[in-house]
PDB file of all heavy atoms in Angstrom:
ATOM      1  N   GLY A  81       5.673 -33.570 -24.625  1.00  0.00           N
ATOM      2  CA  GLY A  81       6.739 -33.324 -25.597  1.00  0.00           C
ATOM      3  C   GLY A  81       6.318 -32.608 -26.849  1.00  0.00           C
ATOM      4  O   GLY A  81       7.109 -31.915 -27.473  1.00  0.00           O
ATOM      5  N   LYS A 262      -6.656 -10.070 -44.393  1.00  0.00           N
ATOM      6  CA  LYS A 262      -5.791 -10.625 -45.442  1.00  0.00           C
ATOM      7  C   LYS A 262      -5.685 -12.142 -45.325  1.00  0.00           C
ATOM      8  O   LYS A 262      -5.652 -12.886 -46.303  1.00  0.00           O
ATOM      9  CB  LYS A 262      -4.402  -9.986 -45.336  1.00  0.00           C
ATOM     10  CG  LYS A 262      -3.357 -10.517 -46.329  1.00  0.00           C
ATOM     11  CD  LYS A 262      -2.027  -9.780 -46.119  1.00  0.00           C
ATOM     12  CE  LYS A 262      -0.932 -10.325 -47.027  1.00  0.00           C
ATOM     13  NZ  LYS A 262       0.348  -9.630 -46.777  1.00  0.00           N
ATOM     14  N   THR A 279     -11.092 -13.883 -31.784  1.00  0.00           N
ATOM     15  CA  THR A 279     -11.391 -14.941 -32.763  1.00  0.00           C
ATOM     16  C   THR A 279     -12.180 -14.376 -33.934  1.00  0.00           C
ATOM     17  O   THR A 279     -12.711 -13.272 -33.862  1.00  0.00           O
ATOM     18  CB  THR A 279     -12.167 -16.098 -32.130  1.00  0.00           C
ATOM     19  OG1 THR A 279     -13.449 -15.606 -31.664  1.00  0.00           O
ATOM     20  CG2 THR A 279     -11.401 -16.723 -30.992  1.00  0.00           C
TER      21      THR A 279
END
Side-chain angles (χ1 to χ4, degrees):
K262 178 180 177 182
T279 61

